[in-house]
Amino acid sequence: MTTSEPIDIHAHYKKGDKQTSGTVGHLDAGQDQVLKEVWIKLLAHFENTKDMPIKVEKSLVKNSGLAKAGISTSDTEAVEKWYTDNTDEVKEIKNQLVCDKLYLDGNRDIIVPSTFKPLFGDSADTRTFSSAFWQATMRFHSPDSYVLKFVRASGWDTDKAFARIRSSIERRITQEIDRLMWEGDTTQHNGVTQNGMCLHVGNDRLGSPVFIVTVRQNSPKLRSEANAEKLAAYALEKAAQLSRKYGEEALIVYDFAGFKLENVDLGFTKLIVTTLQELYPLTFTATLLFVNSWLFSGFWRAIRGWLDPAIAQRTVVVKDVQTLETFVDRSQIPVEMGGQNKYEYSYVYPTKEGNAKMFDTEGRQAAEAEFAAAVSAFVEQTKSWIDGSGPATHDAKLRSQAAAAFDTASANLDPFIRAQFYDERV
């Protein structure tokens, strides 16, 4: 049976080469067979569950503010009354969302369409497994790339890989990740967006985007538990989507400089770890823990047991900027971390103009039709590839062309179904 090999993450960065073994275009015969077997299970599951939609039971969007009250942003009278009745609550730093801040400052624009429309005609309260699967794969240039992330993280075990994909998609549905990205920054905690706790700052030595999490900015007392869970899901999905144009991977650095007891949040940390492992296996080439705090050793002992092997071998404790330079050139490292990057963060609020395509109904319909056709074509070519009904090279070529069409259709549909990220506004 094909198995995963240990990764020397330092060696990959020192050589300046990305790991390609086990990725699209770099599969041996055994790995190719495992991929086929997972697709057989997936295609069967699509068919078996097409009339069995999954309920949205733990929506991360509906747990606060107007959504919790069941008020549409297009109902201006109801919105005004709600804010009048809840002014004191939304003025509290712990509760205030970006949409609350905009409203209180007099900006009454509807930043994203008030009516959320899932893909493929799914209802607002349920999603089919296949619909959610294809939307999850949109951040990859080929659906195979998405599947292979789970396969590699599962040690090339077919059953384990399929089980992980199934669990991941079901979680995406129940938490309504698609709607979370539709709403964008508007439903995020305003204080967190202001302090820039998680930022895309430059690229690493492999060309992947670097996301820096400034741990000292984390203050559990200043945000609710619901906002913490929503933040974790949104930040990781955003990082994953932004990595699409950089080779589908990213580097994440947790900056523990100035880390104090008030920043310790084991519940939030475990939430991030489990979300990474369940929804985004092998999305991050490495996780660096940039440390200069005496508190870290105790914190590390508490969390290291939560890491699965795939993440553990890619997690590195870094104690100085010289070691950090193995992964990121000094010109890309922020000055406050000992580098030369003078990047300064200043939050820019979302606007309706930035999300203009979300309001274009005809454009959305055309883009979704293109995407649906691309999905159908890829499925048909995948079935032919599995059946082996034609010459292997011919099937592989047609399937590669179908993947390219899927890639184009995904990029075209993307701005119609999610709000613009801060990184795209600046």
Side-chain angles (χ1 to χ4, degrees):
M1 181 180 69
T2 300
T3 58
S4 56
E5 298 180 358
I7 302 298
D8 184 344
I9 199 65
H10 283 92
H12 277 294
Y13 272 90
K14 286 179 179 178
K15 292 178 182 178
D17 62 346
K18 288 192 174 185
Q19 182 196 7
T20 56
S21 176
T23 63
V24 173
H26 302 277
L27 302 179
D28 61 31
Q31 293 169 339
D32 194 62
Q33 183 59 36
V34 171
L35 179 62
K36 283 184 179 181
E37 291 172 1
V38 176
W39 271 111
I40 290 172
K41 289 179 176 292
L42 283 169
L43 294 174
H45 195 63
F46 294 162
E47 183 65 24
N48 293 337
T49 60
K50 64 182 180 181
D51 297 320
M52 301 168 58
I54 301 169
K55 291 183 179 180
V56 175
E57 296 179 324
K58 300 178 181 178
S59 175
L60 297 176
V61 181
K62 297 177 182 177
N63 61 8
S64 59
L66 294 171
K68 191 174 183 179
I71 297 174
S72 169
T73 54
S74 62
D75 188 342
T76 55
E77 185 176 335
V79 169
E80 184 175 353
K81 184 179 186 308
W82 186 88
Y83 274 107
T84 299
D85 294 342
N86 296 275
T87 299
D88 291 340
E89 180 182 348
V90 297
K91 281 185 176 180
E92 288 186 23
I93 295 176
K94 185 174 183 177
N95 301 316
Q96 190 176 87
L97 306 181
V98 167
C99 58
D100 299 329
K101 175 64 174 173
L102 288 169
Y103 190 91
L104 294 174
D105 285 353
N107 185 343
R108 307 298 162 85
D109 284 346
I110 297 176
I111 306 300
V112 299
S114 57
T115 303
F116 168 63
K117 296 179 180 178
L119 286 181
F120 300 111
D122 280 351
S123 75
D125 297 320
T126 63
R127 308 285 189 278
T128 60
F129 181 89
S130 60
S131 295
F133 173 87
W134 292 114
Q135 185 161 359
T137 62
M138 284 178 62
R139 68 181 181 84
F140 293 91
H141 297 295
S142 167
D144 278 349
S145 296
Y146 177 77
V147 174
L148 284 168
K149 293 287 187 183
F150 288 90
V151 171
R152 290 165 56 202
S154 302
W156 296 88
D157 183 300
T158 303
D159 291 333
K160 288 182 179 178
F162 171 71
R164 289 185 68 165
I165 293 172
R166 179 175 176 175
S167 176
S168 174
I169 296 301
E170 289 174 353
R171 178 173 170 179
R172 294 180 69 90
I173 292 173
T174 58
Q175 291 189 327
E176 213 172 17
I177 299 298
D178 54 355
R179 185 173 175 184
L180 182 69
M181 307 318 290
W182 171 278
E183 301 287 352
D185 287 7
T186 60
T187 60
Q188 290 301 305
H189 187 260
N190 187 60
V192 173
T193 63
Q194 287 292 316
N195 66 30
M197 187 172 76
C198 181
L199 298 175
H200 171 203
V201 182
N203 298 325
D204 67 10
R205 291 191 180 276
L206 302 182
S208 300
V210 176
F211 291 91
I212 297 178
V213 179
T214 308
V215 182
R216 66 178 177 276
Q217 298 282 15
N218 180 49
S219 182
K221 294 180 180 179
L222 297 181
R223 53 163 168 69
S224 67
E225 184 177 340
N227 282 330
E229 187 174 13
K230 188 162 49 177
L231 167 64
Y234 183 70
L236 291 174
E237 179 70 12
K238 183 176 87 167
Q241 290 197 23
L242 286 172
S243 71
R244 185 180 191 274
K245 64 180 180 181
Y246 297 97
E248 303 170 351
E249 292 182 323
L251 175 72
I252 189 165
V253 182
Y254 289 90
D255 178 11
F256 281 86
F259 179 58
K260 300 177 182 178
L261 277 173
E262 65 191 52
N263 305 125
V264 175
D265 191 349
L266 292 178
F268 184 52
T269 303
K270 189 169 187 177
L271 182 62
I272 291 176
V273 170
T274 56
T275 302
L276 270 174
Q277 293 176 168
E278 292 178 14
L279 269 62
Y280 309 101
L282 303 183
T283 293
F284 296 96
T285 52
T287 298
L288 308 185
L289 309 176
F290 189 65
V291 178
N292 72 350
S293 169
W294 64 271
L295 279 174
F296 176 78
S297 57
F299 182 76
W300 178 234
R301 283 195 298 271
I303 69 171
R304 66 190 307 173
W306 300 337
L307 307 180
D308 71 15
I311 290 182
Q313 67 178 342
R314 294 167 180 266
T315 300
V316 182
V317 176
V318 177
K319 295 186 176 181
D320 53 59
V321 70
Q322 288 76 24
T323 307
L324 186 57
E325 282 188 278
T326 301
F327 304 90
V328 186
D329 187 83
R330 191 174 286 243
S331 66
Q332 300 290 295
I333 301 171
V335 170
E336 63 182 30
M337 295 175 68
Q340 299 171 344
N341 188 342
K342 296 181 180 180
Y343 175 86
E344 293 185 6
Y345 176 73
S346 179
Y347 183 66
V348 176
Y349 282 92
T351 63
K352 181 176 182 178
E353 291 72 24
N355 298 321
K357 286 193 174 183
M358 296 182 72
F359 294 86
D360 180 358
T361 302
E362 291 184 3
R364 156 79 183 254
Q365 290 174 343
E368 189 168 344
E370 178 192 12
F371 181 69
V375 167
S376 295
F378 185 83
V379 167
E380 291 307 309
Q381 293 304 325
T382 297
K383 289 178 179 178
S384 296
W385 168 65
I386 291 170
D387 293 341
S389 55
T393 53
H394 178 69
D395 285 345
K397 181 178 180 180
L398 291 177
R399 193 160 178 271
S400 179
Q401 291 173 348
F406 175 89
D407 183 28
T408 299
S410 296
N412 291 341
L413 177 60
D414 183 54
F416 291 97
I417 61 172
R418 71 162 176 86
Q420 198 179 49
F421 297 135
Y422 161 81
D423 312 69
E424 297 164 323
R425 295 196 294 271
V426 295

